[in-house]
Amino acid sequence: MNRIGKLVYTASLLSLPFLTFAQNSKDEKPKDNWQNLDLKSDGVFGISTEKAYKELLKAKNSSPVIVSIIDGGIDEEHEDLKKIMWVNSKEIPGNGIDDDKNGYIDDINGWNFIGSAKVNIHHDNMELIRLINKYQPKYASALNSTPFNEKERKEFQLYQKLVTDYMAKLQSAQMGLQNTMMIKKYLDEITSSMNNQNPTVDDLNDFKPSNDMQSQVIKFIKPEIKKSDFKKFYEELLDGIKHYSTQVKYHLNVDFDPRKDSVGDDYSNSNERFYGNNDITGPDAEHGTHVAGIVSAIRSNDIGIMGVANNVRIMGVRTVPDGDERDKDVANAIRYSVDNGAKILNMSFGKSYKWDKKVVDEAIKYAVSKGALLVHAAGNDSKNTEKEDNFPTRLFTDSTGVTMGTADAWIEVGATGWTNDEDLVATFSNFGGKTVDVFAPGVKINSTMPGSKYKENDGTSMAAPVVSGLAALIWSHYPKLTALQVKDIIMKSVTLVEQKVKIKEDGDNKRVLLSEISVSGGIVNAYNALLLAEKTYSSPSSKSK
């Protein structure tokens, strides 16, 4: 899963392939808190949250809603989150006893399914690596002419696809690492020669390069540092090096197996429920902390940022490593969340391959049966998810892949920027006329980071918690609504987009209507949703439920 959400710089200046990450085509900076602002009054395509609070929610009472952040960890001590963390009142902190007898010892703010008493998993493989290792002993030496039964033939074809995908991804990661390291090398030479670690454009204009590579690097970075400054450029370059290095060393390393002798579970048993530890922060809580703040960072404390919802309890369920999440852990995270009272499950993660879809399907069915709403990020690969897989999904399938049902209480979320023009859809966002329900702000979203810090990130990972926050805002004021009613309200109250927007599909640039690449054809809107919720809640049919 792409967690950087930033431009990682090209090495076209080094005569090597163009490599980028998720980014928006707009270089300018949006207004602060833009995702919560109003298109008409503020000029940015937010979801009108502030308008809703000002005009619809004054003096209105609300009830707390538990939102589970199934992610990579949350800094529960963050200044903008600490007071709204879910607390398991039935558990006595630190006594080493499972007081509430739910199977999880000292789960005060949630649970960690990728850790043990000894260690927390930080990095993991991509699922395709785990599948390659699973099938390689049987199919590595096989040929197309090898006689297989129907099941074996499908496995062999999958293995061939996995290997092809793996080789392409590994080559891209290795080249990306080489390119970004080379840019860093020449930048370091330049700043060392200048004796200036934060040069301006004027400083670079005055500098006399000692070789052609330095000249090319300077030519490339000058327009980039005009957008911000050299330090920010350099930080993002280091992020790129870290990203590619992690891909090569961990995500795409067939010899790396972090699960072995770490978590302490029987990984072959997908139905095993009770393992892990109570450390919901873990070694890398950046992504989950950022997601949590978007949902409900405290609005009334005059510090930091403002989340969408103002009466939420955040439950941290650490499930996603730096790498692909595992199906067993996802299933257990879903079950843990609803068993402990979560009404909304935010899932800002996804992957292209599955290991045990059945166990995840069963957990999703369980969550739906308990009245929960599942909100899932559509993914950051600029792909049509009607054609390309992004697991988990709302579709339940049998062992042959035939669809056997669907999770109705599920919202799939794509990402948009702040400008109401053809660039509205984020360049990285996945889309799908039947697979993506709504779009929501997901570009340059400022939110909470570990250590009581704040940072802008991009991604459908940021768009999903905007929708989770909206669902929580609705539910907190209209608690008798069902999950399906909350979803229906969100879907029917979107701001419809009339103009065509740019996407890229199968290598071709296209201009399409938002209704062609999503079910609702619009961007979620808090003001409209609360008006519709009031109408729905006041109707006789709603009261009778």
Side-chain angles (χ1 to χ4, degrees), residues 182-412:
M182 194 174 297
I183 295 172
K184 179 181 180 299
K185 172 188 173 183
Y186 289 108
L187 278 183
D188 290 345
E189 286 182 2
I190 293 166
T191 54
S192 178
S193 297
M194 298 173 69
N195 195 26
N196 183 353
Q197 298 303 307
N198 189 26
T200 64
V201 172
D202 288 339
D203 293 332
L204 293 171
N205 286 334
D206 293 337
F207 178 73
K208 295 188 181 303
S210 60
N211 55 58
D212 288 341
M213 297 305 297
Q214 288 186 3
S215 297
Q216 291 184 61
V217 168
I218 289 172
K219 182 179 179 181
F220 174 68
I221 70 170
K222 282 196 296 185
E224 297 298 326
I225 65 174
K226 281 182 180 178
K227 301 170 188 175
S228 53
D229 58 38
F230 182 87
K231 282 188 175 180
K232 186 172 182 181
F233 177 95
Y234 196 80
E235 287 172 0
E236 292 175 351
L237 178 64
L238 294 179
D239 280 346
I241 292 171
K242 179 182 176 182
H243 172 81
Y244 286 124
S245 179
T246 299
Q247 280 194 322
V248 172
K249 189 174 182 180
Y250 303 114
H251 300 174
L252 298 167
N253 185 352
V254 294
D255 296 319
F256 178 61
D257 183 7
R259 192 73 172 212
K260 186 178 182 181
D261 302 323
S262 59
V263 173
D265 64 322
D266 176 7
Y267 185 62
S268 64
N269 179 8
S270 290
N271 295 314
E272 185 180 8
R273 295 284 310 281
F274 304 108
Y275 58 91
N277 64 40
N278 69 342
D279 177 9
I280 68 164
T281 303
D284 182 5
E286 290 191 0
H287 192 267
T289 304
H290 200 273
V291 166
I294 294 169
V295 174
S296 59
I298 301 171
R299 299 182 61 86
S300 58
N301 58 3
D302 295 324
I303 58 174
I305 58 138
M306 292 187 288
V308 175
N310 66 344
N311 200 350
V312 163
R313 299 296 176 265
I314 292 291
M315 177 189 293
V317 188
R318 186 169 182 265
T319 310
V320 185
D322 185 357
D324 278 347
E325 61 281 354
R326 296 180 182 239
D327 290 341
K328 175 181 179 178
D329 302 329
V330 171
N332 283 325
I334 291 171
R335 289 180 180 273
Y336 176 89
S337 298
V338 295
D339 282 345
N340 288 279
K343 296 289 287 183
I344 300 162
L345 281 59
N346 188 90
M347 301 186 294
S348 289
F349 56 82
K351 57 187 180 180
S352 299
Y353 297 97
K354 76 227 184 259
W355 182 272
D356 186 354
K357 190 174 187 303
K358 181 180 178 182
V359 72
V360 178
D361 284 354
E362 292 303 317
I364 293 170
K365 291 176 185 177
Y366 180 74
V368 172
S369 74
K370 294 293 185 179
L373 178 66
L374 299 98
V375 181
H376 183 242
N380 303 331
D381 301 307
S382 308
K383 292 181 178 179
N384 186 341
T385 52
E386 291 186 71
K387 302 176 182 178
E388 304 279 350
D389 291 323
N390 179 44
F391 298 105
T393 75
R394 79 186 89 208
L395 299 178
F396 306 132
T397 58
D398 63 14
S399 59
T400 65
V402 175
T403 299
M404 303 296 290
T406 185
D408 292 329
W410 177 290
I411 303 179
E412 191 83 1

Side-chain angles (χ1 to χ4, degrees), residues 392-503:
T393 75
R394 79 186 89 208
L395 299 178
F396 306 132
T397 58
D398 63 14
S399 59
T400 65
V402 175
T403 299
M404 303 296 290
T406 185
D408 292 329
W410 177 290
I411 303 179
E412 191 83 1
V413 187
T416 49
W418 61 92
T419 56
N420 187 24
D421 56 22
E422 64 178 8
D423 294 316
L424 179 62
V425 173
T427 57
F428 55 78
S429 181
N430 285 352
F431 51 87
K434 297 180 181 178
T435 51
V436 173
D437 293 301
V438 295
F439 280 85
V443 177
K444 293 189 178 181
I445 306 298
N446 189 38
S447 188
T448 45
M449 295 290 279
S452 292
K453 297 178 181 178
Y454 302 85
K455 182 182 179 182
E456 288 181 355
N457 277 335
D458 303 340
T460 57
S461 284
M462 285 63 254
V466 170
V467 177
S468 292
L470 174 55
L473 184 62
I474 296 167
W475 234 332
S476 66
H477 287 87
Y478 302 96
K480 292 183 180 179
L481 294 175
T482 67
L484 287 178
Q485 285 177 313
V486 172
K487 175 186 174 179
D488 190 56
I489 288 167
I490 291 172
M491 295 283 288
K492 289 181 177 178
S493 62
V494 297
T495 302
L496 297 175
V497 176
E498 297 180 359
Q499 79 273 9
K500 289 188 175 182
V501 295
K502 291 192 299 189
I503 62 168

Side-chain angles (χ1 to χ4, degrees), residues 78 106 109 135 153 259 307 359 398 407 421 430 462 514 517 521:
H78 194 288
D106 290 338
N109 301 123
Y135 293 122
R153 176 62 59 186
R259 192 73 172 212
V359 72
D398 63 14
D421 56 22
N430 285 352
M462 285 63 254
L514 207 65
I517 58 171

Side-chain angles (χ1 to χ4, degrees), residues 9-12 14 16-19 172 174-184 237:
Y9 302 100
T10 82
S12 57
L14 305 177
L16 289 171
F18 188 86
L19 300 168
S172 177
Q174 290 172 332
M175 191 171 295
L177 181 60
Q178 175 186 341
N179 293 346
T180 48
M181 288 291 291
M182 194 174 297
I183 295 172
K184 179 181 180 299
L237 178 64

